[in-house]
């Protein structure tokens, strides 16, 4: 594996991973990987191409040709997701798409093909990777591994607010149930289940606002990542 420095931030939906990773990647001018977006785009592409989850070979081919890019907007916003050069950020954010992604995610051939695609994001000056198995499977040698948690009630409220702000109308109780089901599917699967790496630092964000979580993680980055440039350290302080 390469010598590029990697920071992994894993955890279930609604813990603030995406916001925090985008913020750090933008300030540090590092590369960013939203691995969940890859599973989401794949689910959409499979549907559009009428490929069912039983067609593993076709799914693998689709994965190998998946053209996905992330474009940072500003430190406060999530990155835009481009699929075949077209912005699909809003299209993939729905909980329907989240569910489809988590149903496609346990397929062995898909995970294997995505492994290569995900590792290709690991380039100088460094990578911030957001997902479920970044620290356990995709980047096991990452310099800093963080696992974010929060209570299910708090996570459902956050996702509710985020989706509403993005103009997606949702029912809080239904969203709560859907997140719970997705957690169970992600934690219960055999391959790369959602769990902290043995050497991950666990941060419970239930009672902490996003600014304070960013402050906490920025401090960990400064403490644990050697040879950061002065510019990066100044930005993070
Ligand atoms: O993080 P996000 O909610 O966008 O992820 C959507 C789904 O993709 C997850 O519920 C999970 O099933 C799958 N996923 C995964 N491994 C990752 C990232 C996401 O299995 N590293």
């Amino acid at each position: 594996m390469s010598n590029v420095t990697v920071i992994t931030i894993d955890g279930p939906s609604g813990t603030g991973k995406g916001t925090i990773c985008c913020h750090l990647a933008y300030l540090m001018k590092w590369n960013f990987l939203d691995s969940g977006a890859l599973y989401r785009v794949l689910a959409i592409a499979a549907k559009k191409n009428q490929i069912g989850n039983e067609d593993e070979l076709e799914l693998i081919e689709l994965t190998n040709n998946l053209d996905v890019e992330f474009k940072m907007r500003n430190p406060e916003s999530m990155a835009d997701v481009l699929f075949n050069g077209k912005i699909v950020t809003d299209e993939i954010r729905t909980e329907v798409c989240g569910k489809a992604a988590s149903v496609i995610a346990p397929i062995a051939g898909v995970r294997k093909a995505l492994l290569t695609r995900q590792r290709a994001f690991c380039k100088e000056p460094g990578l911030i990777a957001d997902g479920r198995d970044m620290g356990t499977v995709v980047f096991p040698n990452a310099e800093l591994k963080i696992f974010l948690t929060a209570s299910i009630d708090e996570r459902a409220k956050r996702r509710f607010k985020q989706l509403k702000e993005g103009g997606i109308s949702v029912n809080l109780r239904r969203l709560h149930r859907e997140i719970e089901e997705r957690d169970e599917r992600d934690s219960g699967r055999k391959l790369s289940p959602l769990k902290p790496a043995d050497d991950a630092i666990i941060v419970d964000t239930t009672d902490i606002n996003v600014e304070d979580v960013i402050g906490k993680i920025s401090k960990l980055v400064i403490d644990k990542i050697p040879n950061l440039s002065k510019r990066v350290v100044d930005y993070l302080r």
Side-chain angles (χ1 to χ4, degrees), residues 142-157:
E143 271 73 11
L144 174 61
K145 298 180 187 178
I146 292 165
F147 191 90
L148 296 181
T149 62
S151 72
I152 173 79
D153 286 351
E154 183 58 31
R155 290 191 287 121
K157 272 192 238 155

Side-chain angles (χ1 to χ4, degrees), residues 3 10 17 23 46-47 49 57 75 113 142 174 196-197 204 207 210 221:
N3 291 325
D10 286 304
K17 282 177 301 148
H23 185 88
K47 191 165 177 234
N49 288 285
L57 287 179
R174 189 188 315 152
D204 186 338
D207 299 312
V210 73
V221 174

